[in-house]
Amino acid sequence: MELNGAIAVITGANRGLGRHLATQLLERGASVYAAVRRPDELDLPGITPLRLDVTDHESIRAAAQIATNANLLINNAGISTGTPLIAGDIDTVRRELETNFYGPLAVTRAFAPIIEANGGGAILNILSVISWMHPARAGAYAAAKAAAWALTNAAREELQPRGISVSALHVGFMDTDMTAGMPGVPKADPADVAAQALDGLAKSQPEILADDLTRQVRQGLAHRVHHQASL
């Protein structure tokens, strides 16, 4: 997709990776709607604030009625609570799924017709290496991201005939607020990850793998699938 001149909606654009995606898209000649829960607190020059809470369907509908010129959607908003599936609080498990799976699904359903009406474009889902490896201590997050990977793959097939490409960014640990409580863990620079994501998006790559850990896990997953298919 050509990013120069694109009109992007980015959920969770107020901090972390989303903020870097927004500023780098501006540098590449795009216009950006920063879709956040509290737009009055946004401090990104040159960017249009847009109220959107991915767990609030009315706010999604209202945002879609404003950003009617969008041709690029980046589903970046997400949470990680460190909740296991069996011992963890079930309401927290549901909250992770509502935010990390149903949220991107709802936003995609709202904006896909807009992107199609504007001549086609692209959707980028921000996923994780946790889509493919599922530690018990983060079972809720792993389940939600695995579901979001399935969403990405299914939506790609469904939306391709409508002129919309769907890509996924998979990344391990990044130096953002989400990993602030994890000292000693190697973390990628979110600015570098954003640059890789946009480079991959410009090339319409279906999967963008942002670090060595993610590439190793993805390669191992592909090997296991090939091995099982040959049995």
Side-chain angles (χ1 to χ4, degrees), residues 113-124:
I114 293 171
I115 296 172
E116 181 181 14
N118 289 325
I123 296 170
L124 174 64

Side-chain angles (χ1 to χ4, degrees), residues 135-156:
R137 66 185 180 280
Y141 185 73
K145 287 299 185 180
W149 180 42
L151 160 64
T152 302
N153 293 335
R156 181 182 303 119

Side-chain angles (χ1 to χ4, degrees), residues 44-102:
L44 286 170
I47 288 176
T48 302
L50 184 67
R51 184 184 178 275
L52 190 153
D53 181 340
V54 301
T55 65
D56 180 346
H57 288 260
E58 179 56 32
S59 81
I60 294 171
R61 185 194 64 79
Q65 290 182 336
I66 294 171
T68 57
N69 55 346
N71 62 358
L72 171 60
L73 169 64
I74 300 182
N75 285 309
N76 168 71
I79 60 170
S80 177
T81 65
T83 302
L85 288 172
I86 308 305
D89 176 69
I90 193 64
D91 289 334
T92 305
V93 173
R94 288 195 181 96
R95 180 174 167 235
E96 289 227 29
L97 284 163
E98 287 290 341
T99 306
N100 298 329
F101 172 69
Y102 286 108

Side-chain angles (χ1 to χ4, degrees), residues 134-206:
H134 308 137
R137 66 185 180 280
Y141 185 73
K145 287 299 185 180
W149 180 42
L151 160 64
T152 302
N153 293 335
R156 181 182 303 119
E157 180 179 340
E158 185 174 355
L159 295 177
Q160 188 275 332
R162 296 166 61 178
I164 303 172
S165 64
V166 180
S167 302
L169 170 73
H170 292 270
V171 61
F173 299 107
M174 283 186 293
D175 191 10
T176 64
D177 291 348
M178 190 176 286
T179 63
M182 304 172 66
V185 174
K187 302 173 185 177
D189 181 347
D192 177 64
V193 174
Q196 291 186 63
L198 296 181
D199 288 344
L201 186 60
K203 298 174 184 176
S204 297
Q205 294 177 348

